[in-house]
Amino acid sequence: MSFDFDAIWRTLPYLFLEGMQFTLTLTALSALGGLVLGTGIALLRLAGGRVLSAVAAGYVNLMRSLPLVLVIFWFYFLVPYLGQWVTGAARPIKVGAFASAWLTFTLFEAAYFSEIIRGGIQSIPRGQSQAGAALGLTWGQVMGSVILPQVFRTMLPVLLTQTIILFQDTSLVYVISLTDFLGAASKVAQRDGRLVEMYVFAALVYFAVCFLASQGVKRLQSRVAIIR
Amino acid sequence: MRAFDEGSMSGPVIRMDRVSKFYGPAFQVLKECSLEVARGEVVVVCGPSGSGKSTLIKCVNALEPFQSGAIEVNGARLLPGGRGVDLPKLRARVGMVFQHFELFPHLSVMGNLALAQRKALGRGEAEARAKGAALLERVGLSEHADKYPGQLSGGQQQRVAIARALAMDPVVMLFDEPTSALDPEMVSEVLDVMVALAAEGMTMMVVTHEMGFARRVAHRVVFMDRGEVVVDAAKEQFFGAATNERAAQFLSKILAH
Amino acid sequence: MNYNWNWSIYWVPSPEGGGTYMDFLLAGLWTTLVTAALAWAVAFTVGSIMGVLRSLPGDGIRPGRALANAWVELFRNIPLLVQLFLWYFVLPEVVPKGFGDWLKQRNDAPFITAVVGIGLFMSARVAVQVAAGVGALPRGQQAAGLAMGLTLPQTYRYVLLPMAYRVILPPLTSELINTIKNTSVALTIGLLELTARARAMQEFSFQVFEAFAAATIGYLVVNLVATAAMRMLERRLKLPGYGG
C-alpha cells in the first residue's frame, strides 16, 4: 500500500486556509467568550446570593454532566426555536452554522472556565481582600484590582491548558457537518478515497499543535508564579 | 553480587570508610566520612542542620547512594551507587526508624508489623503476628494492635515504628531524629523504649538532638559539621573537658535550654 | 413557538421495529453503559501500569518512565474523534490484508473500536492521576518500605499504591464520568449509543426536544449513580483517623 503524499500536498491550502482557520477562529472566540462568561458565573457562585448562586452552580453541574456531542445537538436544534421565541418571529430563525457552534462552545466551556476561576479566587489568601477593604475599596474594586488580576496570573497555565482542550473539542463540530480542520480532512479523504493519508495527517497536525502548545504552557508555568 | 553475610561476630557492625556524597557537581554533602559502630555499641550522631547527619545514616542502608568510599554492614561491603550487596536483603537486617514515623496508614498496627516479615523475610502469617504481638507488648502498646496509625498519637506511632523495625530481628538499629517531630510530652515515652533497647545490648546509631539521651546511653558521640565528621569520641570525653571548639559551641546552644 | 409538543412519543412504536421509542432509547443507554464499562476497564488497567512507570523514582533516564511519558503525550494531544477515526478507518488499511478485511467485516466493529479507542485515550488521563497520587504521598513512605527490605515492586504493591488510589479517588471519579460522556463521540463511527439513538429518534419523529431531553436525563441519571457508587467506595476504603 503506498502512501500518497501528494493527496496531502495538493489539498494543503484547503485544509489550512479553510479548515484550520475555522478551527482556530472557533477556538479563539469560544475561549474568549467562555472566559468572560465563566468569570461572571464564578463571581455569581461566590457572591451572588442564595438563588443566583444556586442557579450558577446548577448550570455548571449540568454542562459538566453532559457529553459535548449532546450539547452540540441541543444548540443546533434549539437555537433557531429560541431565536423565534425571543424575537417573536413567525418561524424558527435560521442561525449561521458558525454562530451556532460559537454559542455552543462558549456556553459549554464557560462551565469549565468558571470552575478554574472559582478555584483560583478561593486560593487567594483572605488577607488580600481584607487589605483591599481596609483601604476603603468596594467589593467590585477589590475584585477587579486586587483579586482577579492575581487569579488570572496564577491560573494562566490552567486556563491555557483548558484552551488546548477546547481546541481538540472543536473537532466535534463534525457531528453537525461543519468544516473545521478535521472536517476538511475528512471531506478530502472521502472525495479522493485517501482515508489513511488524510486522517494520519490530521492526527499529526493536531499532535504537533497540542504538544508544542502544552510544552509552551509548561515553560510559562515557572515564570508566572506569584512569590508570596 | 555478594549475598548478605549472616554476620561476622568479630569486627564492627558498621564501618564507613571515607564516604563522600555530592548533590550535583557543586555541592558536597558528605566529605570523606569515616566512622565505626561496634557490636552492642550505641553511637549518637549530632550536629547543626545541614551537617549531613541524616544523609550519612541513610547511606548505611543505601537509601541514599554515595559516590565514593565504602560501607561495610555486618561484613557485607556496600559500594558507591548501591552496588556490591543485595539491597533488600541488607535492608531487611538493618532496622530504621524515621523522623516522621512513616507507618503505613492503610494497614493496621499489626498489619504494619507483619508486612515486611512476610514479604521480605518470608515468615508465615501466624509467626509474624506472634512476633508483632510480643514486640507491641515490649513497647507497651498491646491493646492497639488492631488500630490504624491515624488513630494513634505521635509518640504511640513512633513506638509502633520501633516495634516494626525490631520485628525484622535487625543486627543494628538506625534512628533518624526519632523524637524531632514529637510534641515534647511524648518524647520521653519514645526515649524510654530506646534506652531499654540499648540496655539489652542492641547496636544502635542514633541521629538526634537529645543530648540527655546521649549522656545516659551512648557509648560514643560523633559531631558532624558541614559534611565532615569533626569529633568522634567516647561519651565522657565528648561531654567532658575541652573538646573541639565547634562542637563545644553547638553543645552549649543545645544544652542551654 | 412553532413546535408540536408530544411527550407521549416515547410510547409510540419506533420505525426500527421491536418496541417503542423508549425501548429504542433504553437500548442506547445499555450500549453506553457497556461500552463505558469496558473502556474504563481498559483505561484503568493500562493507565495504572503507565502511571506506575511514570512515577518511578530515578536518577538518569529510566526507559519505563520515558515510555509512559510518551504514551501520555501521544494519547492526550490528539482529539478523541481523530483517534477513533484512526482505529476505525486507518488501522484496517495498514495491517495485513486478511486481518484488515476481517476487521472491516465485523458487525461489532464500532463497539470494539469504541472500547479500545476510548479506553486508550482515557488510559493517558488515568496514568497522569496515578503518577500524581504516588507523587503526593510523603517521601518517607517509599523510604520506609525499602528500609524494611521490601523490593521496589513490593513497595509499590503493598505501601504506595493502596494509598495512592485512595488519594486519587475523586479525580478518578471524574475520569469515569468522562469515559461515560466520551462514548457519545463513537456515534461518528456508527456506535448506536444513547446520543446516537436520540438523534435517530429526532430524525424519525421530528420530536427534537423529547428525544434529546430523554438523552439528557439518561446521562444525568447515569452520572448521579456513578458518582454515588464512587462515594460509597470512598467510604468503604476510608481509613480510621486518616483524612477529613
Side-chain angles (χ1 to χ4, degrees):
Chain A
M1 190 218 74
S2 57
F3 195 88
D4 181 9
F5 287 98
D6 194 54
I8 302 172
W9 185 249
R10 271 183 288 118
T11 52
L12 275 182
Y14 174 64
L15 290 174
F16 281 93
L17 294 181
E18 282 219 34
M20 186 50 88
Q21 195 198 48
F22 184 97
T23 295
L24 289 173
T25 316
L26 181 60
T27 303
L29 291 180
S30 305
L32 232 44
L35 184 58
V36 170
L37 182 58
T39 304
I41 294 174
L43 291 175
L44 268 185
R45 266 185 95 164
L46 290 172
R50 296 252 306 266
V51 173
L52 279 178
S53 176
V55 168
Y59 175 83
V60 169
N61 288 326
L62 179 67
M63 282 296 156
R64 285 162 59 105
S65 305
L66 298 180
L68 178 51
V69 173
L70 183 59
V71 176
I72 290 175
F73 284 142
W74 262 122
F75 281 104
Y76 183 66
F77 292 108
L78 182 67
V79 168
Y81 285 106
L82 262 191
Q84 176 191 25
W85 182 58
V86 161
T87 62
R91 286 236 235 70
I93 300 206
K94 236 181 168 341
V95 180
F98 184 88
S100 167
W102 173 75
L103 194 61
T104 306
F105 281 94
T106 297
L107 289 169
F108 186 76
E109 292 291 331
Y112 291 84
F113 280 123
S114 88
E115 286 296 271
I116 295 171
I117 299 293
R118 188 170 72 101
I121 293 176
Q122 288 173 324
S123 73
I124 305 286
R126 293 194 68 223
Q128 291 289 299
S129 43
Q130 285 168 350
L135 290 168
L137 298 175
T138 65
W139 180 88
Q141 291 171 323
V142 170
M143 261 305 151
S145 305
V146 178
I147 305 294
L148 286 179
Q150 293 187 51
V151 169
F152 287 127
R153 194 167 146 193
T154 28
M155 291 291 132
L156 186 59
V158 189
L159 292 172
L160 286 176
T161 302
Q162 185 63 36
T163 307
I164 296 174
I165 294 174
L166 169 56
F167 174 77
Q168 293 188 19
D169 282 348
T170 56
S171 60
L172 290 178
V173 294
Y174 182 85
V175 303
I176 50 175
S177 306
L178 287 181
T179 308
D180 71 321
F181 182 70
L182 177 65
S186 193
K187 283 207 168 105
V188 172
Q190 279 155 24
R191 184 195 69 192
D192 293 352
R194 293 271 145 220
L195 291 174
V196 173
E197 285 84 347
M198 301 315 296
Y199 287 139
V200 169
F201 179 66
L204 287 173
V205 171
Y206 274 110
F207 181 83
V209 173
C210 294
F211 182 71
L212 290 173
S214 57
Q215 293 299 105
V217 172
K218 263 196 204 146
R219 226 148 288 197
L220 186 66
Q221 203 137 19
S222 41
R223 305 263 211 86
V224 293
I226 296 183
I227 321 283
R228 291 198 187 277
Chain B
M1 279 219 293
R2 271 189 67 180
F4 182 61
D5 229 338
E6 262 312 326
S8 26
M9 282 310 287
S10 60
V13 176
I14 299 176
R15 177 193 287 142
M16 304 183 78
D17 183 19
R18 283 167 304 171
V19 172
S20 289
K21 181 178 170 66
F22 297 83
Y23 280 137
F27 180 45
Q28 188 169 11
V29 60
L30 293 176
K31 300 176 183 153
E32 309 247 318
C33 299
S34 297
L35 116 73
E36 278 185 23
V37 180
R39 199 160 302 271
E41 237 192 341
V42 175
V43 173
V44 165
V45 180
C46 63
S49 358
S51 56
K53 48 193 200 296
S54 280
T55 312
L56 185 74
I57 201 176
K58 287 195 172 133
C59 286
V60 175
N61 63 353
L63 283 183
E64 291 275 1
F66 52 94
Q67 278 75 43
S68 79
I71 303 181
E72 265 184 46
V73 182
N74 209 36
R77 197 170 164 78
L78 181 62
L79 297 171
R83 293 181 344 261
V85 172
D86 181 333
L87 291 180
K89 286 232 164 57
L90 167 71
R91 291 164 176 161
R93 302 314 304 275
V94 174
M96 180 163 240
V97 177
F98 295 81
Q99 182 176 357
H100 295 285
F101 335 134
E102 304 299 350
L103 291 185
F104 306 136
H106 58 296
L107 297 176
S108 67
V109 164
M110 186 54 79
N112 268 274
L113 294 171
L115 178 66
Q117 287 187 71
R118 288 173 41 227
K119 300 298 168 186
L121 290 182
R123 290 181 186 160
E125 172 87 33
E127 191 193 342
R129 292 184 77 92
K131 182 97 188 170
L135 285 165
L136 280 181
E137 174 94 44
R138 232 170 112 178
V139 300
L141 291 171
S142 297
E143 66 276 21
H144 299 282
D146 294 316
K147 292 226 178 91
Y148 282 80
Q151 296 170 294
L152 303 177
S153 73
Q156 290 171 326
Q157 288 189 54
Q158 194 63 304
R159 285 189 276 155
V160 172
I162 295 175
R164 181 178 69 173
L166 289 174
M168 306 294 283
D169 291 319
V171 301
V172 57
M173 285 282 283
L174 306 176
F175 291 84
D176 182 10
E177 305 220 33
T179 56
S180 296
L182 291 174
D183 288 338
E185 69 264 21
M186 293 193 253
V187 168
S188 53
E189 76 195 51
V190 172
L191 288 182
D192 286 345
V193 170
M194 291 167 68
V195 167
L197 206 51
E200 287 162 19
M202 173 62 75
T203 314
M204 293 163 64
M205 184 171 165
V206 184
V207 171
T208 186
H209 296 300
E210 294 289 333
M211 289 299 125
F213 170 80
R215 254 210 251 259
R216 260 173 91 188
V217 156
H219 296 104
R220 284 190 9 259
V221 182
V222 169
F223 177 76
M224 282 185 73
D225 190 19
R226 277 175 281 208
E228 288 183 74
V229 171
V230 171
V231 178
D232 182 348
K235 167 177 65 182
E236 300 72 19
Q237 222 180 309
F238 186 84
F239 287 109
T243 172
N244 172 279
E245 186 189 308
R246 181 75 189 83
Q249 228 180 16
F250 175 75
L251 264 187
S252 68
K253 291 210 181 104
I254 291 213
L255 295 177
H257 47 22
Chain C
M1 203 156 30
N2 222 11
Y3 180 80
N4 281 334
W5 293 96
N6 180 11
W7 292 101
S8 61
I9 187 71
Y10 298 122
W11 316 113
V12 165
S14 78
E16 287 274 305
T20 61
Y21 275 118
M22 181 54 78
D23 298 320
F24 184 67
L25 290 171
L26 286 175
L29 179 60
W30 179 248
T31 305
T32 293
L33 291 174
V34 174
T35 309
L38 290 179
W40 179 248
V42 171
F44 188 79
T45 316
V46 176
S48 293
I49 297 172
M50 288 299 162
V52 167
L53 287 177
R54 191 171 150 95
S55 73
L56 284 177
D59 354 280
I61 313 287
R62 260 196 182 223
R65 205 168 41 187
L67 168 69
N69 286 335
W71 180 272
V72 167
E73 292 302 328
L74 178 67
F75 285 101
R76 74 171 173 188
N77 284 309
I78 303 177
L80 175 59
L81 182 52
V82 176
Q83 292 188 33
L84 288 181
F85 281 2
L86 287 178
W87 289 109
Y88 194 68
F89 295 118
V90 173
L91 182 68
E93 303 295 333
V94 299
V95 295
K97 190 141 189 357
F99 187 42
D101 287 340
W102 177 78
L103 281 176
K104 282 192 270 195
Q105 278 160 13
R106 291 190 66 96
N107 260 348
D108 54 6
F111 175 71
I112 309 259
T113 308
V115 168
V116 172
I118 297 173
L120 292 182
F121 176 78
M122 296 303 297
S123 76
R125 300 178 69 117
V126 170
V128 170
Q129 293 301 337
V130 170
V134 172
L137 299 175
R139 288 274 138 251
Q141 288 287 297
Q142 185 184 299
L146 291 175
M148 282 165 42
L150 297 176
T151 62
L152 190 60
Q154 284 177 323
T155 304
Y156 265 91
R157 161 84 179 80
Y158 296 106
V159 176
L160 298 175
L161 289 180
M163 285 311 294
Y165 279 124
R166 284 178 169 86
V167 167
I168 60 174
L169 260 182
L172 272 191
T173 307
S174 294
E175 298 304 347
L176 173 61
I177 305 293
N178 283 335
T179 306
I180 297 172
K181 291 193 287 182
N182 279 332
T183 56
S184 61
V185 180
L187 65 71
T188 55
I189 53 169
L191 185 70
L192 287 174
E193 43 72 60
L194 182 57
T195 310
R197 288 188 183 238
R199 176 91 169 91
M201 176 177 164
Q202 172 261 323
E203 280 191 332
F204 295 145
S205 69
F206 301 103
Q207 303 297 143
V208 177
F209 294 109
E210 288 83 344
F212 289 124
T216 302
I217 293 177
Y219 283 109
L220 288 177
V221 168
V222 171
N223 203 318
L224 281 171
V225 170
T227 308
M230 290 298 267
R231 267 207 202 121
M232 257 177 23
L233 184 62
E234 210 169 334
R235 264 198 303 269
R236 276 183 104 235
L237 293 178
K238 209 163 160 56
L239 296 167
Y242 186 84

